[in-house]
Amino acid sequence: DTAVSQTPKYLVTQMGNDKSIKCEQNLGHDTMYWYKQDSKKFLKIMFSYNNKELIINETVPNRFSPKSPDKAHLNLHINSLELGDSAVYFCASSQGTYEETQYFGPGTRLLVL
Amino acid sequence: QQQVKQSPQSLIVQKGGISIINCAYENTAFDYFPWYQQFPGKGPALLIAIRPDVSEKKEGRFTISFNKSAKQFSLHIMDSQPGDSATYFCAASIKGGSEKLVFGKGTKLTVNP
C-alpha cells in the first residue's frame, strides 16, 4: 500500500486555469505538508497542517489555497495558474513536527502553458 | 539565518570511492539535521539524521559528521555505488520554532561504474 499518494501525477494546463492536487496518507500521521520543487530541484515548504489546523503558511501567493478535510487528506487548490507555477509539488506527512521523519509522496508534475 | 548552504551542487564519483557533501548553517538554534535522498521521478526519503549532541552518526555506508563550533555538517558515502546516484538534500530545523525543515539546495551525485 502506498503511504502517501498524490493525484494526479501529471498536470498540463493553460495559464489562467484553476486546478487542484489531492493528497492522502494512510500512515495515521498528524501532520501534512505541501512542498514546491522548482526546475533547479530547490525544495521549499509551502504549507503545513497539524490535525487539520494550519501551522505553517510560507510566503506563497494567495492563489494557492490548501484544504484539509480530515487529517488523512491535504489538498492544494491553485487559482489563475501562471507560467511560474510550473514545478513538481510534493505532499508529505509526519507523525509530529520538528524531528519526525517526513514521508513524501511521488509528486505532481505541473506544467503551465 | 534560516538558510542551509549545501555544496557541491553536483558530484561525480567512481564506484568504490567516497562521496562527501557539505552543509553549513548560521542559525545556532537549529538542533536537528536530517539528510534526504531523492531518486529521479520520486519523492525525497529520509536517509539519516543527527542531533548536535553527537559528532558523528553512522548507518551502513552512510555517515554524518557534525561540527557544532564550525556550524557545519557533512554526509560521507563510503564505497559509493551506482545505485547511490541521486540528489541529496541536507536540512535543519528548530525545536519549538516554526517546526519546519529548511532544506539545502541539493547535490546531484553520479556514481560511475
Side-chain angles (χ1 to χ4, degrees):
Chain A
D1 284 342
T2 304
V4 181
S5 59
Q6 297 178 227
T7 54
K9 190 169 183 179
Y10 299 97
L11 192 50
V12 181
T13 188
Q14 299 289 327
M15 271 176 47
N17 284 351
D18 302 339
K19 291 294 178 184
S20 291
I21 307 172
K22 295 186 177 182
C23 177
E24 176 181 4
Q25 55 95 3
N26 63 6
L27 297 166
H29 287 166
D30 292 331
T31 308
M32 296 186 72
Y33 312 81
W34 277 111
Y35 286 88
K36 179 180 180 181
Q37 187 170 50
D38 62 23
S39 58
K40 294 184 178 179
K41 297 287 190 181
F42 185 49
L43 197 60
K44 191 173 189 306
I45 191 167
M46 300 173 69
F47 302 103
S48 174
Y49 272 74
N50 182 265
N51 276 318
K52 301 196 303 174
E53 181 181 338
L54 181 67
I55 57 171
I56 294 174
N57 184 352
E58 291 294 286
T59 307
V60 175
N62 57 16
R63 297 181 294 103
F64 291 79
S65 53
K67 280 194 173 64
S68 182
D70 55 62
K71 76 172 194 177
H73 295 86
L74 180 62
N75 303 323
L76 183 65
H77 188 75
I78 315 170
N79 288 326
S80 304
L81 277 155
E82 300 179 356
L83 295 176
D85 297 332
S86 296
V88 181
Y89 292 85
F90 286 102
C91 177
S93 74
S94 62
Q95 180 53 46
T97 56
Y98 172 49
E99 64 179 13
E100 297 289 339
T101 300
Q102 292 189 16
Y103 294 83
F104 283 76
T108 295
R109 284 142 188 85
L110 171 65
L111 178 60
V112 182
L113 302 174
Chain B
Q1 271 215 328
Q2 289 293 321
Q3 288 185 337
V4 177
K5 295 183 180 178
Q6 183 172 348
S7 62
Q9 189 174 352
S10 63
L11 181 61
I12 299 174
V13 173
Q14 291 299 118
K15 179 182 174 181
I18 302 173
S19 304
I20 301 174
I21 304 170
N22 300 300
C23 285
Y25 63 96
E26 287 296 322
N27 190 343
T28 55
F30 283 140
D31 59 1
Y32 173 66
F33 303 89
W35 285 87
Y36 278 76
Q37 179 188 54
Q38 184 180 24
F39 291 106
K42 305 290 186 184
L46 180 68
L47 184 64
I48 187 172
I50 197 168
R51 296 283 307 277
D53 51 350
V54 297
S55 60
E56 186 175 283
K57 183 174 182 180
K58 184 175 181 179
E59 290 184 3
R61 295 183 294 108
F62 300 90
T63 300
I64 300 178
S65 297
F66 187 83
N67 186 331
K68 190 173 181 178
S69 60
K71 293 183 285 186
Q72 295 175 346
F73 58 110
S74 59
L75 176 69
H76 295 235
I77 306 174
M78 310 300 288
D79 187 25
S80 298
Q81 299 297 312
D84 296 330
S85 297
T87 300
Y88 292 81
F89 295 91
C90 62
S93 66
I94 305 169
K95 184 175 184 179
S98 63
E99 297 183 345
K100 67 179 180 183
L101 278 177
V102 178
F103 283 90
K105 293 194 174 183
T107 297
K108 183 177 180 181
L109 172 65
T110 302
V111 181
N112 288 329

